[in-house]
Amino acid sequence: MLRLKDERPADAWPPPREPPPEVKDEMTMQGLMPAILKNATYYASNNAKSVKTDIITEKNIQKMQSEASKRMLEGSYTKSVTNTVSRCLERYDSAIKGRNGFVIGTERPWVEALLLNVGAQHLTTVEYSDLVSSHPSITTRTPRRLAEDYLENPREMFDFGVSYSSIEHSGLGRYGDAINPSGDLETMAQAWCLTKPGGLFFLNVPFDHGKDYIAWNAHRVYGNARLKHLTANWNVLAWMKSPYNNHDVWMLQKMASVVPVFP
């Protein structure tokens, strides 16, 4: 969390068109996760400027909640994707109802709407851009602000967390973040710190059976090698196939017997 508190955006813009030589071996796991270079997968979208900041309103969330309850919410992808995620959350509703959770990465708050439908008490949305929420059950934080909050009171942790199609981008520079070969692993470690022992984390990343690679600089695609590192220190409770481009969902649990020790 100290690293997150001191995290800074990229020094240069636009992001590099291939992994910098000084971090290429680490970025590609010594070739186990090769970087595939294609113009179609190179992005330079400054997230702080491209994401609307006023998307979390009571009216907007209530509209999405209504559509979701009818299985008609498009979300950021398709209705079938939204309904798959909704079924995952409903399956573990006892870990969500009346509890406080966090959501990593939001361009449209459809995940937040699903969580509120399941009965979440309060949500904290974590996003690089300065989102503004006027919804009484949703607070917004930049990663740096969240780290500051956590370090002030490390035992004020969350009951559960969710991330859909976000962590695979961490550290690739696509959204103005600094190049970091371990960006995704660090984000998952930070999610572990934020989650109470025994709490659940719903993780979605692109998955390709047996094949790890980076579609530079769009995202990572996880196979057996990288996924083991990504889910280290979590119990994998279940896995659900997604209808969208191999974006499967894993239900993870922080081991209840593990209690962090603070100086």
Side-chain angles (χ1 to χ4, degrees):
M1 298 303 288
L2 285 171
R3 285 176 62 87
L4 184 61
K5 177 179 177 291
D6 295 332
E7 189 175 80
R8 295 291 185 272
D11 295 329
W13 188 261
R17 287 192 167 271
E18 60 183 271
E22 64 272 18
V23 298
K24 183 175 181 180
D25 283 347
E26 187 180 357
M27 181 75 74
T28 63
M29 299 179 67
Q30 306 295 322
L32 292 176
M33 193 175 197
I36 299 174
L37 310 179
K38 295 181 180 179
N39 287 336
T41 62
Y42 174 79
Y43 293 89
S45 56
N46 193 328
N47 204 40
K49 296 180 180 179
S50 63
V51 175
K52 293 182 179 179
T53 60
D54 58 349
I55 55 174
I56 306 179
T57 65
E58 284 194 77
K59 181 179 180 181
N60 192 19
I61 296 294
Q62 287 172 359
K63 181 176 183 294
M64 284 191 278
Q65 285 184 263
S66 176
E67 292 174 354
S69 66
K70 302 170 186 174
R71 303 297 194 195
M72 296 298 290
L73 179 61
E74 290 281 352
S76 295
Y77 301 93
T78 65
K79 293 176 187 175
S80 59
V81 168
T82 303
N83 293 336
T84 296
V85 176
S86 183
R87 287 193 295 272
C88 289
L89 301 177
E90 291 164 0
R91 180 177 176 181
Y92 294 94
D93 59 354
S94 61
I96 298 172
K97 285 183 178 179
R99 301 179 185 272
N100 301 325
F102 64 101
V103 178
I104 298 176
T106 293
E107 291 187 352
R108 188 182 181 209
W110 62 277
V111 171
E112 288 85 342
L114 297 183
L115 289 166
L116 290 175
N117 270 2
V118 175
Q121 177 173 289
H122 194 275
L123 302 170
T124 297
T125 294
V126 187
E127 177 58 63
Y128 281 106
S129 57
D130 290 316
L131 295 181
V132 177
S133 173
S134 59
H135 194 289
S137 297
I138 303 176
T139 299
T140 59
R141 288 288 186 271
T142 62
R144 184 178 181 184
R145 174 69 186 280
L146 182 65
E148 291 172 347
D149 291 347
Y150 174 86
L151 292 169
E152 287 178 5
N153 188 359
R155 296 189 183 279
E156 190 72 18
M157 294 183 287
F158 296 96
D159 299 299
F160 66 88
V162 182
S163 180
Y164 192 96
S165 189
S166 177
I167 289 176
E168 68 268 24
H169 305 296
S170 297
L172 300 184
R174 173 177 175 174
Y175 293 107
D177 50 324
I179 299 297
N180 182 352
S182 302
D184 57 335
L185 306 183
E186 290 182 9
T187 300
M188 280 298 290
Q190 290 150 3
W192 189 92
C193 290
L194 292 169
T195 306
K196 292 180 179 179
L200 301 190
F201 188 76
F202 300 85
L203 171 68
N204 165 268
V205 291
F207 179 66
D208 188 336
H209 293 269
K211 186 178 181 181
D212 301 80
Y213 63 93
I214 304 171
W216 188 267
N217 69 344
H219 54 257
R220 298 175 182 84
V221 176
Y222 295 83
N224 294 329
R226 189 75 170 189
L227 189 64
K228 291 177 182 177
H229 293 286
L230 194 70
T231 57
N233 300 317
W234 299 88
N235 285 330
V236 180
L237 299 178
W239 162 80
M240 185 173 286
K241 181 72 175 174
S242 169
Y244 174 73
N245 200 23
N246 293 327
H247 274 60
D248 299 340
V249 183
W250 283 264
M251 281 67 81
L252 310 175
Q253 184 177 38
K254 181 172 178 176
M255 293 177 283
S257 59
V258 178
V259 180
V261 177
F262 303 96

